[in-house]
Amino acid sequence: MPAVTQLCKGVLLDIQQHFGVSDSGAGLLQTVFICSFMVAAPIFGYLGDRFNRKVILGCGIFFWSAVTLSSSFITKEYYWLFDFSPGAGGYWGISYSSISPTIIGDLFTNNTRTMMLSVFYFAIPLGRYCTAGCLFISSGCVQSLYCIVFLQVSPVLGMTAGTLIFFFVPEPKRGSADQIGGRLKARTPWICDMRALAKNRSYVFSSLASAAVSFATGAFGMWIPLYLFRAQVVQKSVVACDQEPCSIKDSLIFGVITCVTGFLGVIIGAAATRLCRLKTERADPLVCAVSMLGSAIFICLIFVAAKKSIVGAYICIFIGETLLFLNWAITADILMYVVIPTRRATAVALQSFTSHALGDAGSPYLIGLISDAIQQSYTESILWQFLSLGYALMLCPFVIVLGGMFFLATALFFLDDRDKAEKQLNQLTLSPSSVKV
């Protein structure tokens, strides 16, 4: 995620004070960024299944970083352009999330692939929240010189990484890791790919479950630090912020917790899946379902603990996020099993589109909108600012439970869809004209 978007998360209270925006207005910042992901996802999915993935990946990261670098020079008078810049960057950013998993899928198989996908998906929260944490440490307000410098250093590193991809990242043949022998000789039309994915029940249900995860993480990443700050104001352990700078330590603490839980989640998820595969072939979706349902319990406890103990709330966040992040890499691995190699980039992109469209594209804004509506119904006060945001965030555990149900549905069809994918791959390898979708 671009550094400019992490700036919005890391100093959200500053932004609200500086520009005078409400909870719903602040939540709209991430929505702009995510919507650009949704628009670009089908495009990069199509390209990723038909052209050189390394070139697309390198160019996407390079231009993504270039847009972020340009945003660091935008002044306060052109805030509308600053608000637009995450969207422009997000358009190119979808390239890495659509294409990278397919390259990993063509390099590794079975438990090794699960582990490599775990490493990839761990890097996402690591980079995302370490960026937010560094921005918090280096900035006391939105206009901080250190903050602007960081927005310039980070994209330069991204542009460098995009360039290095051309020289050091291999471009494996599609399906090379899945085939015992032979070579893919045909590629199905895009319309056939979309029709096949729509009929793939494991893919559809796991995509809906992924949307539930995205809904919760998007809302939490935006609102939990501010919610905990308001809790401390109610408890009178800190004073309310009436003017800039308003940056709060909760942004840093939440970022550190998310980095750690992201690491633990993907590692525990990979280990649990490997162990459970010895017991059942449906291990992947079942591990995801159990972790989602367990996560919902601890996320509910956050709102109970926050009224009395911030430490207790952080403990619940730690456990809840660890369980929630268990399924990140596993969901991608499920896709690799039930979708043939020639349509995986399209499948990843469509899954990303679905998870963002039904998830974090609207969840930050929706939570802010509900919070504003509750505040208007009661006398405005610090207490009701805290309670209203908490009541709005209570929507997240209900969505997470729904996601757990979708993973259970995935488990019902997983083996059938995996077998169908294997048969299609054999047909595609041996006799391209006989492939059925």
Side-chain angles (χ1 to χ4, degrees):
M1 189 174 289
V4 65
T5 309
Q6 291 312 313
L7 168 65
C8 296
K9 289 185 176 182
V11 290
L12 180 60
L13 190 55
D14 261 339
I15 291 176
Q16 285 189 296
Q17 292 289 341
H18 187 75
F19 294 101
V21 295
S22 63
D23 284 352
S24 57
L28 191 60
L29 289 168
Q30 179 169 312
T31 299
V32 172
F33 169 73
I34 297 300
C35 284
S36 67
F37 258 54
M38 293 162 49
V39 172
I43 298 174
F44 282 103
Y46 177 87
L47 296 175
D49 278 333
R50 287 158 178 81
F51 300 99
N52 190 298
R53 291 173 291 183
K54 181 171 68 173
V55 173
I56 299 171
L57 181 62
C59 290
I61 293 177
F62 184 90
F63 286 111
W64 183 16
S65 302
V67 170
T68 302
L69 177 63
S70 302
S71 69
S72 67
F73 299 100
I74 298 174
T75 61
K76 178 181 177 181
E77 289 75 18
Y78 296 95
Y79 174 71
W80 63 271
L81 189 57
F82 180 82
D83 197 20
F84 171 76
S85 61
Y91 180 85
W92 292 101
I94 191 63
S95 62
Y96 91 92
S97 59
S98 296
I99 294 174
S100 297
T102 68
I103 295 178
I104 295 173
D106 286 333
L107 291 173
F108 306 98
T109 58
N110 300 326
N111 289 329
T112 304
R113 182 170 65 191
T114 304
M115 183 58 65
M116 293 301 104
L117 287 171
S118 298
V119 173
F120 172 75
Y121 282 101
F122 162 65
I124 295 176
L126 177 64
R128 178 184 302 173
Y129 289 100
C130 282
T131 300
C134 290
L135 284 169
F136 169 79
I137 294 171
S138 63
S139 63
C141 65
V142 179
Q143 301 294 333
S144 169
L145 175 63
Y146 296 105
C147 197
I148 299 301
V149 169
F150 193 90
L151 285 174
Q152 295 173 355
V153 172
S154 177
V156 168
L157 296 176
M159 294 167 71
T160 303
T163 303
L164 293 176
I165 285 174
F166 290 101
F167 300 100
F168 297 104
V169 173
E171 171 63 13
K173 294 179 181 179
R174 291 173 176 83
S176 58
D178 297 271
Q179 298 172 72
I180 298 176
R183 180 180 178 182
L184 293 178
K185 300 178 181 179
R187 181 175 292 112
T188 53
W190 184 80
I191 295 297
C192 292
D193 291 343
M194 297 299 290
R195 188 183 301 120
L197 292 175
K199 294 178 180 179
N200 191 323
R201 294 166 295 184
S202 296
Y203 173 76
V204 171
F205 283 122
S206 63
S207 296
L208 292 174
S210 179
V213 176
S214 181
F215 184 97
T217 54
F220 269 45
M222 179 67 74
W223 292 116
I224 281 294
L226 182 58
Y227 173 73
L228 294 178
F229 175 76
R230 291 179 179 179
Q232 294 172 78
V233 172
V234 171
Q235 296 172 18
K236 302 187 184 303
S237 58
V238 299
V239 295
C241 179
D242 297 321
Q243 59 182 1
E244 299 176 68
C246 296
S247 296
I248 51 178
K249 68 179 184 299
D250 299 285
S251 297
L252 176 59
I253 296 174
F254 181 76
V256 171
I257 288 176
T258 303
C259 286
V260 175
T261 55
F263 173 76
L264 290 177
V266 294
I267 295 301
I268 295 173
T273 304
R274 176 178 297 188
L275 181 63
C276 292
R277 281 173 182 168
L278 300 176
K279 304 293 184 180
T280 174
E281 293 184 278
R282 303 179 192 271
D284 295 59
L286 288 177
V287 169
C288 292
V290 172
S291 68
M292 289 280 280
L293 297 176
S295 175
I297 295 173
F298 285 96
I299 287 177
C300 283
L301 293 176
I302 293 173
F303 309 109
V304 177
K307 297 178 181 180
K308 299 292 184 180
S309 171
I310 298 299
V311 174
Y314 278 128
I315 293 174
C316 293
I317 290 172
F318 186 92
I319 300 174
E321 282 200 334
T322 300
L323 293 172
L324 193 61
F325 292 152
L326 240 68
N327 60 68
W328 274 17
I330 305 174
T331 302
D333 212 15
I334 290 173
L335 184 149
M336 298 296 167
Y337 279 115
V338 301
V339 177
I340 62 175
T342 55
R343 60 173 64 115
R344 282 177 181 168
T346 298
V348 172
L350 182 60
Q351 188 174 81
S352 178
F353 176 89
T354 303
S355 64
H356 289 312
L358 302 178
D360 54 356
S363 64
Y365 178 69
L366 178 61
I367 296 301
L369 199 65
I370 296 173
S371 177
D372 284 346
I374 296 175
Q375 287 184 50
Q376 292 176 0
S377 302
Y378 297 90
T379 303
E380 291 189 9
S381 65
I382 294 296
L383 176 61
W384 273 106
Q385 287 180 4
F386 163 67
L387 292 176
S388 63
L389 187 54
Y391 292 149
L393 285 168
M394 278 295 293
L395 179 63
C396 293
F398 289 100
V399 174
I400 292 174
V401 169
L402 184 61
M405 296 297 104
F406 284 133
F407 273 127
L408 288 177
T410 302
L412 293 176
F413 306 109
F414 177 67
L415 297 182
D416 289 340
D417 291 331
R418 187 187 64 180
D419 292 340
K420 289 179 182 178
E422 291 177 355
K423 291 179 181 178
Q424 289 176 6
L425 180 59
N426 291 333
Q427 292 175 347
L428 193 62
T429 303
L430 300 176
S431 177
S433 61
S434 63
V435 176
K436 297 179 181 180
V437 296

